[in-house]
Amino acid sequence: MTNHQVTLEGGPPFSVRHGQTILDAALRANRWIPHNCSQGTCGTCRFRVTEGTVDHRDSAQDLLPADDRAAGFALACRSTPLTDLSGELLGEFANQAPRHRLRDIAGTVVVRDLVARDTIRLVIDLDEPLDFDAGQYVELQIPGSFTRRAYSIASPPSRPSEIELHIRLTPGGLATAGWIFASLAIGERMTMQGPLGSFALTEAQDGPVILVAGGTGLAPLKAMVLHALEHGLASELHVYHGGRREEDLYDGDVFRSLSEAGVRYVPVLSEQTWDGAQGMVTEAVEADFPSCRGMSAYICGPPPMVAAAVRTFKKRRMRPALIHREEFTPAPLPVSVPAGSLIAAERSAET
Ligand code: FES
């Protein structure tokens, strides 16, 4: 099958194999395209084809209506070239993102602990070190299928030889109910690809940083906090972790042990009376910060919580460009593809 050459922003061309997505090929060639979900649901990877044609495949109509397609827009994580093509990246984030070459990696499970209700911590000892930015994710290959699931890395980039993942059970989920919670054992081999994602904390922050997590949305924020402390990137780090009940919380001891380094930890419960903060996690943030001017935020969790947090920070006068977010998105149905074909993996609610 024919390979096609793709040129973005006049940079060096990279080769895309038949059936491979433009995003996958670009990241493997160390060419950056901003992206988040890798499954065609967030729109971050939109780019404009200036010359040549693409197959949009299963790109969603609501993200890419017919008029946009006619105007040359495409989703890099869904589309594959039909000819050699040139394109331009869009938006202010085109040149601001982390850059580590996407690659396939393997490792061995060395820790598998139940750390909260329906939540497992995995530590995977990698065969080779993985360079990544704090906040990025990997996609685990589900054994016996062509489907992958995305999980944020909770350990800091300074520990590239092993990665920690926090995984919440999704009832009926292919990766969680069908594998990780059912049969996965210490010593088992895993294959994955990474790193992926534009959600990352890499640079010194001008003011205090507020990190808001729902459930296992804590994972990328933990990596960010540890990375920020190691490199002196922030003077104040305020970590809010929301759960329904106390048994949903975990790693509180980790964050409390960092209080002298400038980390303030606030667990928040929405369905249980206790002596800590109660209500929605965003209500706790609003109660603590009458103004967020001059601060930045990193938010990760279910879409309604992320949307509420964004509204809170805008209301509290935080600059929109300093509100960074990552949403869990619904796991798509498993896809079946012929062996050897490359389809962008599925970012999932099984995070
Ligand atoms: S739509 Fe392509 S990365 Fe989200």
Side-chain angles (χ1 to χ4, degrees):
M1 293 286 189
T2 317
N3 288 4
H4 293 297
Q5 300 298 308
V6 173
T7 306
L8 292 177
E9 301 283 326
F14 56 90
S15 186
V16 186
R17 292 195 303 275
H18 174 74
Q20 187 178 20
T21 66
I22 292 169
L23 179 66
D24 187 86
L27 297 178
R28 287 177 188 277
N30 214 22
R31 297 301 318 282
W32 183 255
I33 297 177
H35 64 284
N36 273 322
C37 70
S38 301
Q39 69 165 351
T41 61
C42 73
T44 312
C45 65
R46 255 169 90 99
F47 74 107
R48 198 165 76 84
V49 178
T50 52
E51 208 177 313
T53 54
V54 294
D55 178 353
H56 295 285
R57 301 202 302 189
D58 56 353
S59 299
Q61 285 293 335
D62 57 339
L63 270 187
L64 203 64
D67 285 357
D68 285 6
R69 294 172 197 228
F73 293 103
L75 298 178
C77 75
R78 295 284 101 181
S79 59
T80 190
L82 294 174
T83 63
D84 289 354
L85 62 87
S86 301
E88 60 184 19
L89 302 178
L90 307 171
E92 59 188 303
F93 301 111
N95 298 310
Q96 290 179 4
R99 289 180 180 82
H100 297 293
R101 187 186 291 269
L102 175 67
R103 59 195 181 90
D104 299 315
I105 37 177
T108 305
V109 177
V110 293
V111 172
R112 181 192 178 279
D113 287 340
L114 192 68
V115 291
R117 180 172 54 170
D118 293 338
T119 305
I120 279 179
R121 182 199 318 278
L122 286 186
V123 177
I124 304 165
D125 187 24
L126 301 176
D127 293 355
E128 295 170 12
L130 176 70
D131 291 328
F132 61 95
D133 286 325
Q136 288 194 286
Y137 64 90
V138 291
E139 291 177 336
L140 301 184
Q141 184 74 46
I142 302 176
S145 83
F146 294 103
T147 303
R148 296 186 286 265
R149 289 288 185 260
Y151 297 102
S152 296
I153 304 171
S155 43
S158 59
R159 302 209 298 262
S161 295
E162 62 174 33
I163 54 171
E164 174 183 326
L165 310 177
H166 303 165
I167 299 174
R168 172 106 179 160
L169 175 68
T170 299
L174 186 65
T176 57
W179 173 40
I180 294 168
F181 282 73
S183 62
L184 181 73
I186 289 177
E188 190 164 324
R189 297 284 293 162
M190 281 188 158
T191 55
M192 66 203 85
Q193 65 171 26
L196 286 152
S198 305
F199 183 62
L201 191 160
T202 57
E203 296 176 349
Q205 310 287 300
D206 287 337
V209 182
I210 305 175
L211 304 104
V212 182
T216 51
L218 190 66
L221 305 189
K222 181 179 176 183
M224 291 177 180
V225 166
L226 297 175
H227 180 68
L229 292 178
E230 287 171 0
H231 296 273
L233 300 183
S235 54
E236 287 177 34
L237 294 152
H238 302 266
V239 180
Y240 289 80
H241 188 199
R244 291 181 180 164
R245 306 185 62 78
E246 216 167 340
E247 56 264 34
D248 294 325
L249 301 176
Y250 61 95
D251 277 352
D253 51 339
V254 173
F255 293 103
R256 285 190 199 96
S257 74
L258 301 171
S259 61
E260 287 191 6
V263 176
R264 181 172 151 268
Y265 170 67
V266 184
V268 187
L269 297 183
S270 61
E271 291 182 3
Q272 181 186 332
T273 303
W274 70 329
D275 55 5
Q278 273 186 256
M280 305 310 291
V281 68
T282 46
E283 293 170 345
V285 174
E286 288 184 9
D288 289 346
F289 292 95
S291 169
C292 293
R293 205 184 285 272
M295 303 180 184
S296 56
Y298 291 82
I299 311 160
C300 186
M305 187 221 80
V306 172
V310 169
R311 281 196 301 274
T312 291
F313 289 124
K314 285 184 175 169
K315 220 163 47 184
R316 294 291 195 258
R317 304 281 179 213
M318 186 178 287
R319 274 181 52 207
L322 299 180
I323 304 173
H324 310 274
R325 73 196 88 158
E326 182 158 84
E327 297 177 354
F328 299 164
T329 51
L333 295 171
V335 289
S336 270
V337 294
S341 169
L342 284 168
I343 279 194
E346 319 295 358
R347 181 87 170 123
S348 100
E350 293 187 332
T351 305

